[in-house]
Amino acid sequence: MAETLRIEERDDRIVVTLHRPEARNAINAAMVRELHDVCSLLEQRPRLLLLTGDGGTFAAGADIAELRERGREQALQGINSRLFDRIARLPLPTVAAVDGYALGGGAELAYACDLRIASSGAVFGNPEPGLGILAAAGACWRLRELVGASVAKQVLLAGRRLDADDAYRLGLVAEVVPAGELLKRAHAMLDRMARSGPLALRLTKLVADAPGGHPVTDDLAQAILFESEDKRSRMDAFLAGERR
Ligand code: COA
């Protein structure tokens, strides 16, 4: 029984809803563990994955209270980057249905999916440098692949947030729909894929995804930042309620 996820298993898909309402669905260690369990199910018996967030938020990032305590060792373990890579490598396509904020690790989780669909209230962003760290779980390279280097650097370095219209124009999301229709439209997208030959879909995904070498360098840089005073004081400030 998952604590941080709501999981619905169907014949051709698994629907996972991130559910930590007290922390805007922030990704903590329990959620990482539970998402690994979902990956394990999907690796054993390939099905489509629909990933969404509860309560009008996709996910407000990695859990900052946990991040604050992590050091070099944890950065080198690539806690989030390995999970998101595992999700990216799932045998069959994955769709993130994003309503509200997808920030930091939450955005990276959405970037790791094969496709994204957004509600008109969706907002993507990577505010990690404001907390004294870098987005080490995929944003530094997946976002560039998705929207191009110029926009990716606006998001990563200049704190640009992409609203639903931006995300659609840039091709980050396939479709923008009213929040009330998000899940219906996302399921329609999966229905379309479910109609394809499963092996064809699986091999197409495998061939379309070129291998990349990034998590190692991201984790090394994160290992330095995780030890910095600046990171601690910025996370302390966030946890004390200051918003910059
Ligand atoms: N980690 C841990 N807790 C988080 C969190 C995170 N990433 N994001 C939100 N929360 C918690 C808040 O601390 C708050 O807890 P409290 O009720 O005990 O004070 C609760 O979730 C609600 O957040 P709040 O900021 O009050 O909600 P909001 O609607 O005003 O703002 C956000 C929503 C997403 C804009 C804001 O929470 C935010 O900026 N979160 C951090 C985003 C971020 O920097 N992510 C990158 C992390 S790598």
Side-chain angles (χ1 to χ4, degrees):
M1 179 69 188
E3 246 178 71
T4 67
L5 308 176
R6 299 282 177 264
I7 300 171
E8 183 196 345
E9 288 201 52
R10 298 191 189 178
D11 209 38
D12 63 355
R13 71 196 65 177
I14 296 187
V15 184
V16 172
T17 306
L18 308 177
H19 181 78
R20 287 192 70 218
E22 72 285 4
R24 298 287 187 271
N25 301 332
I27 301 166
N28 65 355
M31 191 181 282
V32 167
R33 219 171 24 249
E34 291 172 3
L35 285 168
H36 272 296
D37 293 343
V38 171
C39 289
S40 175
L41 285 176
L42 290 166
E43 287 158 359
Q44 282 160 35
R45 193 184 139 212
R47 278 164 285 175
L48 300 165
L49 172 66
L50 172 54
L51 197 53
T52 192
D54 204 19
T57 300
F58 184 72
D63 188 287
I64 295 171
E66 288 188 3
L67 272 186
R68 185 191 172 281
E69 301 308 317
R70 287 184 190 161
R72 183 187 301 135
E73 277 306 314
Q74 286 78 24
L76 290 171
Q77 283 166 26
I79 296 169
N80 287 351
S81 64
R82 286 185 193 180
L83 170 66
F84 299 166
D85 281 357
R86 190 173 181 187
I87 289 171
R89 286 198 311 271
L90 286 172
L92 285 174
T94 55
V95 174
V98 177
D99 183 24
Y101 289 109
L103 297 178
E108 291 177 305
L109 176 56
Y111 305 155
C113 291
D114 294 305
L115 299 165
R116 284 149 295 281
I117 177 169
S119 76
S120 39
V123 178
F124 296 85
N126 284 100
E128 283 89 340
L131 292 168
I133 59 171
L134 80 109
C140 289
W141 56 283
R142 281 203 180 99
L143 185 59
R144 188 186 61 222
E145 289 175 359
L146 292 168
V147 300
S150 175
V151 174
K153 285 188 176 174
Q154 292 167 34
V155 173
L156 292 166
L157 303 178
R160 178 172 173 196
R161 288 181 173 188
L162 304 177
D163 65 20
D165 288 341
D166 292 332
Y168 181 70
R169 258 189 307 106
L170 292 162
L172 181 61
V173 302
E175 210 180 329
V176 176
V177 299
E181 284 176 33
L182 183 64
L183 285 184
K184 195 177 98 203
R185 294 297 307 159
H187 276 293
M189 207 178 245
L190 271 76
D191 291 343
R192 171 73 191 82
M193 291 191 279
R195 288 200 289 273
S196 291
L199 185 61
L201 213 48
R202 187 169 177 176
L203 293 183
T204 302
K205 174 168 168 164
L206 208 57
V207 171
D209 285 333
H214 284 275
V216 174
T217 44
D218 301 37
D219 290 344
L220 284 172
Q222 186 76 300
I224 294 167
L225 290 166
F226 266 7
E227 299 286 318
S228 74
E229 196 43 52
D230 189 44
K231 165 241 179 181
R232 260 177 228 112
S233 70
R234 283 164 182 271
M235 292 197 179
D236 281 343
F238 176 85
L239 295 168
E242 289 174 33
R243 301 287 183 268
R244 301 182 193 204

